[in-house]
Amino acid sequence: MSSVPKDSERTQQASPDKSGTPTFNWQLTHTSVFDTVKLIMPPSQVLPIVFVPGIMGTNLCTNSGKPIWLLNSTGGQPIGLAWEWARKGPAGRQTILHPKRTRVYSGGDVPGRPAGTIQNVKDFVLRGWGEVGQTSYHEFLHWLEQKLNGEGFDPANWSDFFYASVSSPSASATGGPPKLFPGIVMEMAGLPSAAERGHKPDPITSDDLLQRAKFRFPVYACGYNWLESNALAADRLKDRVQDIIAENNVGRFRCCQVILVTHSMGGLVARACAQLAGMEAKIAGIVHGVMPAVGAAVAYRRCKVGMGDEDFAAGLVIGSNGVEVTAVFAQAPGALQLLPSGNYIHGWLKVHDEHGKLIAGLPKSDPYTEIYLRKDRWWGLVREEWLNPIGGRPIPWNEFADNIALAKNFHGEIAGKYHPNTFVFYGAGEGSQASFETIRWSMKIGSQPASGSVLTNLEMLDFSHQQVREDGKNTIYLGGEKKFGQQSDQAGFGDSSLPDVETSFRQVRCDKQDGRGDGTVPASSGMFPRASGGPSIRQQFRLEGFSHEPAFKNATAQRVTHYAITKIAARARVS
């Protein structure tokens, strides 16, 4: 067998059966096949990876089991989901997407090819991959499973780590395989040389790799009902973590901790979970990707004008206008918990006059009372009538107010709190990755109404929803009226119609992105953990070149995640 080329060698790792006995499953091949088959016994220590998705990244179904939010891929895009929701207005969205009428759906598509420790399709299902969006996450999860488990358990052979003596021809001069010894500072391919301004990554050492080599890393996913409060999602994650530890702590295999890897709002869920009784010790560390640490101003904007002018295609799913978005967000505590918290930059909601002069900047201190619950001002988060779309299942204002209270309480419970072994990366791009750090309403002179006193900008700032005209698209008319075109019959020329005319003292529009980020989360929120988390933040990376939803498909983001997992594993408990 020694004459068989290495590249024709096939390998398989043992997987534990229900009793914890290492087991190999192999399909017999034709007698003409003579390649080497290497059966590998993995380490007895297990450190599972549990991936926690962002908002809208978990498949949902009705309480009776009918899929209603299914992120399966068609040509790499969730075409079926877009087709389904593009045809539903605010009433349909409100009726279906309610936290009490939905639950996690685990029957989404899963990969059809093996990776790392997964050999059968049913294993993907058991690992929870069918709960999370195929289009957004499966490519990354498949890569992660293969990277952590598919390159064997000798760190000298791991392709991403090297140092001069191992990389040079002399390393194999004796004819034997390369060896890795303690006490060596390693290089990692593709890792940024600078994490943030003034911060360099703590280097990987051979000791880190040798410690990581003691573990097997089965990759799981844990979805949650993103319409519910993230506090409830944290409870679900807690139960899942305990089940995963028990599942892998059987027979000759030992497991006492997991590593959490999170996307976006999943980071808030994981932070809340780590605060629950007994959970900090069961989590070896957390990797947060593009987390809105203190919220994102774009959540306010979408409730006001929708997503249609940000991204037409995504708007068909999330809501093209403010009426469609509000119909869901107002009844979904989880979504409202993405609003800027009290720790977000003050004055993020701005109103400018027709000359560009700032005439208002809110909040001064409390966004919940100053913005989110102001139903008596046009710039308040929610127009009350939008809670009651025709044909929907309306919610009263006090229910919406209760959900805002939940958001405020949740923000307070996780403020400045992070697992003591936390790694972070966030987007700080420009151009197509620019984000809404602030929300700017810009006035311009309207078509003056025929009657009525001339009002100042400050007076119009105090207009209520009843004094403006808004349809959830990106123009609000302050004062005046809509004059409908009149039909007339010009002799011999048939009917003609004049255009409708919107009169107003001012027209107000919501400006586009104004800061660095990933298109959704501004850099100021993404980088906040270092400012508030103290020594719990082991490392934080400022990255560019990717948008929010596909962040984990970016090669640099993947390298940073791989780095963080390696550093966490080096400190993980061995049972």
Side-chain angles (χ1 to χ4, degrees), residues 428-459:
E430 297 181 290
S432 61
Q433 282 89 49
S435 299
F436 294 95
E437 183 170 284
T438 66
I439 301 298
R440 172 172 168 157
W441 292 103
S442 292
M443 291 184 175
K444 73 173 186 177
I445 300 296
S447 176
Q448 293 292 338
S451 62
S453 302
V454 177
L455 300 175
T456 67
N457 288 325
L458 287 176
E459 287 174 320

Side-chain angles (χ1 to χ4, degrees), residues 513-571:
Q513 293 91 333
D514 67 337
R516 287 180 172 270
D518 59 26
T520 299
V521 175
S524 59
S525 183
M527 68 193 298
F528 200 79
R530 185 185 292 280
S532 62
S536 294
I537 311 304
R538 299 289 180 180
Q539 192 57 267
Q540 185 166 279
F541 289 85
R542 175 188 177 97
L543 306 179
E544 299 181 27
F546 54 78
S547 296
H548 184 77
E549 180 270 330
F552 278 101
K553 296 180 182 179
N554 177 266
T556 305
Q558 290 179 353
R559 288 289 185 271
V560 166
T561 303
H562 187 193
Y563 163 87
I565 289 172
T566 299
K567 298 299 283 187
I568 292 171
R571 300 170 59 127

Side-chain angles (χ1 to χ4, degrees), residues 245-362:
I245 290 175
E247 175 185 326
N248 286 280
N249 191 31
V250 61
R252 68 181 294 271
F253 294 97
R254 294 290 177 265
C255 177
C256 61
Q257 291 182 306
V258 304
I259 296 174
L260 302 183
V261 177
T262 76
H263 178 242
S264 190
M265 192 172 81
L268 309 185
V269 175
R271 285 168 61 191
C273 180
Q275 307 306 316
L276 297 176
M279 290 309 296
E280 181 181 298
K282 294 181 180 179
I283 299 170
I286 304 180
V287 186
H288 292 302
V290 294
M291 174 178 59
V294 288
V298 72
Y300 165 92
R301 188 181 194 273
R302 289 175 183 171
C303 285
K304 298 297 289 183
V305 303
M307 195 178 177
D309 69 341
E310 288 181 65
D311 185 319
F312 176 79
L316 295 177
V317 178
I318 296 173
S320 295
N321 57 65
V323 188
E324 292 181 344
V325 174
T326 296
V328 176
F329 269 49
Q331 64 187 9
L336 293 174
Q337 287 159 10
L338 288 178
L339 288 165
S341 73
N343 289 321
Y344 200 85
I345 54 174
H346 290 172
W348 57 264
L349 180 60
K350 304 176 183 295
V351 183
H352 290 253
D353 68 13
E354 64 273 19
H355 304 296
K357 179 182 177 181
L358 178 68
I359 60 174
L362 295 167

Side-chain angles (χ1 to χ4, degrees), residues 333-404:
L336 293 174
Q337 287 159 10
L338 288 178
L339 288 165
S341 73
N343 289 321
Y344 200 85
I345 54 174
H346 290 172
W348 57 264
L349 180 60
K350 304 176 183 295
V351 183
H352 290 253
D353 68 13
E354 64 273 19
H355 304 296
K357 179 182 177 181
L358 178 68
I359 60 174
L362 295 167
K364 302 299 183 185
S365 61
D366 182 358
Y368 312 96
T369 57
E370 294 180 49
I371 300 174
Y372 308 148
L373 294 175
R374 288 300 296 266
K375 63 178 176 178
D376 61 340
R377 296 291 186 270
W378 62 265
W379 39 261
L381 179 66
V382 167
R383 185 180 181 113
E384 191 169 4
E385 296 94 305
W386 293 357
L387 302 178
N388 302 280
I390 297 174
R393 296 180 66 172
I395 67 169
W397 179 268
N398 67 324
E399 184 176 324
F400 162 68
D402 288 344
N403 290 337
I404 291 294

